[in-house]
Amino acid sequence: MELFDNLGFGFGIALNPINIFYSFVGVLFGTLVGVLPGLGAVATISLLLPITFTLEPHQAIIMLAGIYYGAQYGGSTTAILVNLPGEASAVVTALDGYQMARKGRAGVALATAALSSLFAGTIGTLVIAIAGPLLASVALAFGPADYFSLMVFGLVGAVILASGSIVKAIGMIFIGLLIGVIGIDFATSVARFTFGIPQLGDGISLSVVAMGVFGIGETINNLGRSAEAREFVKVTRLWPTLAELRSMMPGTLRGTALGGFLGLLPGGGPTLAAFSAYSLEKKVSRTPEEFGQGHIGGVAAPEAANNAAAQTSFIPLLTLGLPSNAVMALMIGALMMHGLSPGPRLIVEQPTLFWGLIASMWVGNFMLVVLNLPLVGIWVKCLQVPYRLLFPIILVVCCIGVYSINYSALDILFASGFGLFGYILYKLGCEPAPMLLGLVLGPMIEENLRQALLISRGDPMVFLERPISLTFLIFTAALLLLMILPSLRSKREVAFEED
């Protein structure tokens, strides 16, 4: 009964006209971001973080969350219509979605993606509403040693589940940790790696790093890509038949369950969920040879998985203060800018934010379906805008956003430096997202490590004596074993295969 009371309270907040407006702005921007390849939710949220200064905390998170799950939806539109995935999670959707479009079933593919995303988003949000308070009550028993072990587990999980080379992912984590130690030591008040620059006393802002690497760096990288002519298909029949609805349901259910689980894991998220769901659907199908030829399950499963993962990734953020991916790291930054600390006390101290966010997710997911199917033509037109006209606007917004954080011109220079660094990372094939996790979790790990050792009078056995801490250390050791064993490492790569 308490759950329904809380949800009623949340809908009272989410259905406030001003909050509906911010949810609408979020899903609209998110869809546009998903449609336009090369931008991405991380870069867009980085650009819009300074704007959230003027908003209430719950309004800021509602808008940023709308951008996140809206981007997962928008990426499928162009993946289906022009075989151009706007988001990494939409790569597998293009395999069967585009083939369906070429066979005159573009409308059915779009409706399948929309309905699967709506179903997964609804279930994923319900999971947050039920599991969030329960997990938060458990997290109240966590001590500094437990949080330290949990965050170490999170960093190792981010390495295991990151796409690409494990060695490069480890390198990105360590770079983030090194950036995180810059500034005044909170325990001794000694300046570390500031090189006599007073502005570095507070460290390097997460927004500066994110806007530099993902905003400026990715923009420079996109300028080097040649524009390719795309074959546009027409949208005719939009609503699936009853038989098609029955065909998509098993994949939608499996994708929702798998995506919801993977969204909880450190380093997981929509991309891993989409690839894994497609691989699972192909293995359990009675007609695996039809995948890649326009199988409706090849659209339903990954679209349900990426949307469910986008929703459930908020659970560890809101209840434990642990970001499971780069977007959640930025969400932590947004909360901290408003003086809030994500964790188990957030639900009690900020019920407006927690329950308002949950209810807004339902509102936002319905908005995505109602708004975007009629606007398919407009999104396709957006693809025809030359990137040379977009990149100056993106760079100007980056510079304005960086300057508005501390009103410091030095931050613009730092962001430019990180932009060049991000461009180098893209050229080297390094995924910069783990770096953000290292930057966010590094100071937290250090603080909890020191507190745990201070409480235990320097006895490191405290990490093994506490059951919660020991459990997470065992999980961490198991993940390290997965990393070491070649036979198990090979299975990790299966989730990132397109075929």
Side-chain angles (χ1 to χ4, degrees), residues 76-85 89-110 112-113 233 274-275 277-279 281-283 285 287-303 497-499:
S76 66
T77 301
T78 48
I80 291 170
L81 294 181
V82 293
N83 198 26
L84 184 63
S89 58
V91 170
V92 288
T93 303
L95 297 179
D96 284 277
Y98 184 60
Q99 294 303 320
M100 289 180 66
R102 294 186 65 185
K103 296 177 180 178
R105 302 173 65 199
V108 175
L110 289 170
T112 298
V233 296
F275 277 84
Y278 186 85
S279 177
E281 197 63 21
K282 188 174 180 179
K283 288 180 179 179
S285 175
T287 56
E289 67 281 356
E290 294 182 6
F291 279 76
Q293 307 299 321
H295 196 292
I296 195 170
V299 175
E303 283 302 306
E497 293 179 1
E498 296 184 12
D499 297 310

Side-chain angles (χ1 to χ4, degrees), residues 71-279:
Q72 309 310 316
Y73 181 96
S76 66
T77 301
T78 48
I80 291 170
L81 294 181
V82 293
N83 198 26
L84 184 63
E87 284 285 304
S89 58
V91 170
V92 288
T93 303
L95 297 179
D96 284 277
Y98 184 60
Q99 294 303 320
M100 289 180 66
R102 294 186 65 185
K103 296 177 180 178
R105 302 173 65 199
V108 175
L110 289 170
T112 298
L115 294 175
S116 298
S117 297
L118 175 62
F119 177 83
T122 302
I123 299 300
T125 306
L126 183 62
V127 171
I128 299 176
I130 296 173
L134 296 177
L135 188 57
S137 62
V138 173
L140 289 173
F142 280 36
D146 305 320
Y147 272 111
F148 169 80
S149 300
L150 171 63
M151 291 174 186
V152 171
F153 170 69
L155 284 183
V156 174
V159 171
I160 295 294
L161 296 178
S163 59
S165 167
I166 288 181
V167 175
K168 291 179 180 178
I170 293 174
M172 291 294 96
I173 289 283
F174 273 104
I175 290 175
L177 293 174
L178 290 174
I179 297 173
V181 302
I182 296 174
I184 303 296
D185 187 341
F186 73 93
T188 63
S189 298
V190 174
R192 301 184 299 188
F193 305 107
T194 59
F195 303 101
I197 303 175
Q199 290 89 337
L200 287 179
D202 293 330
I204 297 179
S205 169
L206 171 67
S207 299
V208 171
V209 177
M211 276 191 268
V213 173
F214 290 96
I216 299 175
E218 194 159 339
T219 299
I220 298 172
N221 187 49
N222 289 332
L223 286 174
R225 297 175 180 171
S226 59
E228 300 179 15
R230 298 285 173 177
E231 178 187 349
F232 288 77
V233 296
K234 293 183 178 180
V235 179
T236 52
R237 177 170 63 93
L238 196 60
W239 193 255
T241 63
L242 185 60
E244 288 168 334
L245 287 173
R246 284 197 297 264
S247 299
M248 62 180 273
M249 277 309 298
T252 300
L253 293 173
R254 283 188 286 264
T256 300
L258 182 60
F261 171 72
L262 292 177
L264 297 171
L265 299 181
T271 302
L272 176 65
F275 277 84
S276 301
Y278 186 85
S279 177

Side-chain angles (χ1 to χ4, degrees), residues 32 35-36 377-386 390:
L32 180 60
V35 167
L36 295 175
I378 295 177
W379 302 130
V380 173
K381 289 290 184 183
C382 290
L383 287 171
Q384 300 175 4
V385 177
L390 292 176

Side-chain angles (χ1 to χ4, degrees), residues 306-320:
N306 68 39
N307 208 280
Q311 310 287 336
T312 57
S313 58
F314 280 90
I315 294 178
L317 167 73
L318 296 173
T319 59
L320 301 174

Side-chain angles (χ1 to χ4, degrees), residues 390-434:
L390 292 176
F391 89 86
I393 300 174
I394 296 174
L395 292 180
V396 169
V397 172
C398 282
C399 292
I400 294 174
V402 169
Y403 181 78
S404 64
I405 295 173
N406 296 312
Y407 299 101
S408 171
L410 186 62
D411 284 348
I412 298 179
L413 295 178
F414 283 142
S416 301
F418 278 109
L420 180 59
F421 178 60
Y423 175 70
I424 294 173
L425 292 180
Y426 288 120
K427 288 301 180 183
L428 294 176
C430 297
E431 172 59 49

